């Protein structure tokens, strides 16, 4: 039983360790100069939070006030997602600037980390006014 447990623990350790190119050298920062660790998911979260805050409730009275905004960047290209927003507040230009900043941050994080992603096309779903709030629509015009 102890041998089985030991093998299981070693297997889990092997699965969680990062595989590295043997020829690649990695610098280990000293504790005094080490920055807070960042992960591809953590990078760009501040700009995404600011973007979501700027969108706010996305209040609308008709679907013509609703738009979709591509956010983030997949490693293979294209956005990671879309957010619905309302043009009623008159902040569309500022929202697009924040979205572009977030996209650049995500692209840089992807490049630094060597991130890979699916190369699946993510169509713009559009946005509609539902119950006084802009919501993402559907990419399928037949429905």
């Amino acid at each position: 039983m102890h041998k089985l447990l030991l093998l299981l623990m070693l297997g889990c350790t092997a699965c969680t360790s990062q595989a590295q190119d043997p020829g690649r050298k990695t610098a280990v920062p000293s504790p005094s100069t080490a920055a807070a660790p960042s992960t591809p998911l953590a990078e760009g979260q501040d700009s995404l939070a600011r973007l979501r805050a700027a969108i706010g409730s996305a209040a609308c009275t008709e679907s013509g006030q609703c738009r979709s905004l591509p956010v983030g960047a997949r490693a293979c290209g294209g956005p990671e997602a879309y957010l619905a927003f309302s043009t009623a507040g008159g902040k569309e230009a500022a929202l697009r600037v924040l979205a572009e900043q977030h996209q650049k941050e995500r692209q840089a994080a992807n490049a630094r980390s060597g991130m890979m992603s699916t190369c699946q096309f993510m169509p713009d779903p559009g946005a509609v006014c539902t119950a006084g709030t802009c919501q993402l629509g559907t990419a399928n015009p037949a429905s």
Side-chain angles (χ1 to χ4, degrees):
M1 182 70 173
H2 290 298
K3 289 181 183 181
L4 180 62
L5 184 58
L6 180 62
L7 286 173
L8 180 62
M9 288 175 52
L10 287 174
C12 289
T13 303
C15 291
T16 59
S17 66
Q18 230 179 346
Q20 291 189 2
D21 181 4
R24 189 169 100 188
K25 303 287 183 201
T26 57
V28 177
S30 68
S32 62
T33 61
S38 62
T39 64
L41 292 178
E43 290 190 49
Q45 293 303 311
D46 183 47
S47 60
L48 181 59
R50 285 185 284 134
L51 178 59
R52 287 182 190 272
I55 289 172
S57 65
C60 60
T61 55
E62 63 176 336
S63 289
Q65 296 172 323
C66 298
R67 303 278 188 280
S68 57
L69 186 64
V71 293
R74 288 180 174 210
C76 194
E80 291 174 291
Y82 288 88
L83 294 176
F85 71 96
S86 175
T87 60
K91 302 184 285 186
E92 183 171 1
L95 294 176
R96 294 201 182 277
V97 168
L98 283 171
E100 187 175 324
Q101 176 187 356
H102 177 65
Q103 176 191 27
K104 288 178 182 177
E105 289 173 5
R106 294 297 296 135
Q107 286 172 331
N110 289 342
R112 277 192 306 275
S113 69
M115 177 69 77
M116 296 175 64
S117 70
T118 62
C119 293
Q120 176 183 3
F121 175 70
M122 182 180 290
D124 185 338
V128 295
C129 186
T130 304
T133 305
C134 291
Q135 304 288 322
L136 290 178
T138 175
N140 184 359
S143 55

